[in-house]
Each structure stands twice: as structure tokens, then as C-alpha cells.
Amino acid sequence: MTPKITIQELALSLTAKNHSPTLLNSDFLKYSGIVPADWELARPPVFSPQISQVAFTNGINIVAQSNAITFIESLSTKSQEDVKIPAIIRKYVEALPRTDYQNLSINPRSFITFEGGDENAAREFITSTLLSKGTWSDVGKAPVKAAVNLVYSLEQGELNLSVAEAMLQLQEADPTPAVLFSGSFQYEIAGELEGEKLQHLYKLLENWQPDLEAYREIVNVRFLGVKEVEKLPSAA
């Protein structure tokens, strides 16, 4: 049962007191210079007072709710210079500087699948590999399901990490049992004046790469046994 990292994503999320989902649409994003004008939509946008979503063919998704906006990007084998959402979220903030931004969360996640096609592999990984096998798992008429929540105190802040079973749907393929590692670094945007808060937010945005590498070191090396953590190559 060999674990394989199938999908890695990075999401940057801003919470804000006075943000309206109706602000998010592809015309606003392009006319404000937040995204390039030649980006194509992957599907028709979702647009409502409760939630709006714009998805592009390059794999970048932007979701706005009443108190938050989230930018999601598939990492794959991208180099540092190819990861786009940190720059996009900065341009978004510059376009709406009077929004009362409260917190920034940096959320990496990975879907882990297993070679061999064993439909119980994800469950066994959590209940037998991450947890110590015991009589606690033998209760009931079906195999126990488990999720693990961990908090790591790191130099840059706390990493909240959850590990749980998931079903991974890749295009037209059948759903695949997987283990989802979901991390979150939470940062409060401090400052009394609007300019102070914006400058602090821009500084916090710079944490995305060390936070991602800390997450990868824990998940890839400590949990999955990869010999060396995979770092994003630096831009030339």
C-alpha cells in the first residue's frame, strides 16, 4: 500500500466585514487588471447575493461569500514564478482597498491515493498507519471511519492539520478512495489605519511559500516517508 500524492492545491482566503459576493465577476477581474484579459472561463460563473464563483481554464478558481473571498490554485509541478494567486489576491486588494479585511488564511491541501486499487486503503492508512491498531477499531458492524485533527506550533504560527477519508473524482474516471490532508495557517491583519492594515496584509501574503514548505515537510516527509521535501523551485 504505497501512498501517492495525486493532487496538491493552495488556497488563500481573506475574511472581511463588508465584502459583497456580487462584486466578483469576470468583467470586474479583467477590467481592474486583477487577471489577464485573455484568461478563459472554464464554465459559466456562479453569481448570487450569497455566493459567487469564477473558474478559469488554467485551474484558478475564485469564490466570494458574504464574509470571505478565496483564491484556489492547483500546484502540480509549478515553479515559484508560475504560482499566480498570491499576486492576484494582492491586485484584488489594491482594487478594493477600503474593504475591511480581517484575516488571511493560507491553506494547502493534498489528496493521497494508493497504488493497487484497494478501496479500503485510505481507511486502513488512517486507522492502522496513522493510528495505533487496537480494539477501539473493532466495534460495530462496519469498519470504523476516522479523522485526525492536529495543531503544530511553528515559528511562523500555528498549522492546523486535518487528515480524513475522501472520495476523489478526476474528470470522467470513477471516484477513487483517498486521504485528504488539509492544512491551515491563520493570520490576523493588524493595524489601526487603512494603510497600516494593507501593508501588514501584503507582508502576510509573503508567508505563502514558507508555510507551504512547512506543510509539505510535515505531510510528505513525516507522514508519507518521502526522503526529501519537495520545494518549489525559485524563480531565475
Side-chain angles (χ1 to χ4, degrees):
M1 188 174 66
T2 305
K4 175 186 177 182
I5 302 173
T6 303
I7 290 180
Q8 291 189 81
E9 292 181 340
L10 178 66
L12 302 180
S13 183
L14 279 173
T15 60
K17 284 185 176 180
N18 55 349
H19 184 273
S20 171
T22 58
L23 292 171
L24 179 63
N25 62 76
S26 58
D27 288 340
F28 166 70
L29 294 173
K30 292 180 179 182
Y31 295 155
S32 300
I34 297 169
V35 304
D38 60 353
W39 279 19
E40 297 181 1
L41 293 173
R43 52 186 177 272
V46 176
F47 186 72
S48 77
Q50 291 75 39
I51 185 169
S52 296
Q53 181 176 11
V54 178
F56 296 99
T57 54
N58 58 9
I60 291 178
N61 292 281
I62 306 174
V63 182
Q65 296 172 283
S66 60
N67 63 344
I69 182 163
T70 302
F71 299 74
I72 306 164
E73 181 171 4
S74 177
L75 295 180
S76 182
T77 57
K78 291 181 178 179
S79 66
Q80 177 183 345
E81 63 182 355
D82 291 329
V83 177
K84 296 178 172 59
I85 56 173
I88 291 173
I89 199 170
R90 175 163 182 151
K91 290 178 181 178
Y92 188 92
V93 170
E94 289 173 346
L96 297 170
R98 295 189 179 278
T99 302
D100 189 4
Y101 301 106
Q102 300 291 304
N103 295 278
L104 170 70
S105 59
I106 298 175
N107 309 310
R109 69 174 187 167
S110 309
F111 285 94
I112 313 300
T113 56
F114 299 86
E115 297 179 358
D118 184 357
E119 63 180 16
N120 296 315
R123 181 175 300 160
E124 285 291 322
F125 180 79
I126 295 177
T127 59
S128 298
T129 302
L130 299 189
L131 301 174
S132 179
K133 188 73 174 179
T135 57
W136 63 267
S137 63
D138 298 329
V139 180
K141 61 182 181 180
V144 66
K145 296 181 180 180
V148 180
N149 293 293
L150 304 165
V151 180
Y152 292 91
S153 296
L154 307 178
E155 287 189 8
Q156 64 264 50
E158 285 190 346
L159 165 62
N160 290 275
L161 180 66
S162 66
V163 188
E165 290 182 59
M167 293 299 292
L168 181 59
Q169 181 71 61
L170 294 175
Q171 297 179 351
E172 298 181 359
D174 293 334
T176 301
V179 173
L180 171 61
F181 287 84
S182 184
S184 181
F185 294 86
Q186 300 283 338
Y187 298 103
E188 181 181 357
I189 302 169
E192 295 295 329
L193 302 176
E194 178 184 293
E196 292 175 348
K197 295 191 73 172
L198 291 179
Q199 290 306 309
H200 188 221
L201 171 55
Y202 297 149
K203 184 176 180 180
L204 291 175
L205 276 172
E206 298 173 0
N207 287 339
W208 76 268
Q209 188 174 357
D211 283 358
L212 177 61
E213 291 177 356
Y215 163 87
R216 283 177 165 175
E217 197 277 334
I218 292 171
V219 173
N220 296 12
V221 178
R222 308 291 179 138
F223 280 97
L224 304 180
V226 178
K227 291 184 179 180
E228 184 177 355
V229 63
E230 176 190 358
K231 294 186 178 181
L232 291 175
S234 298

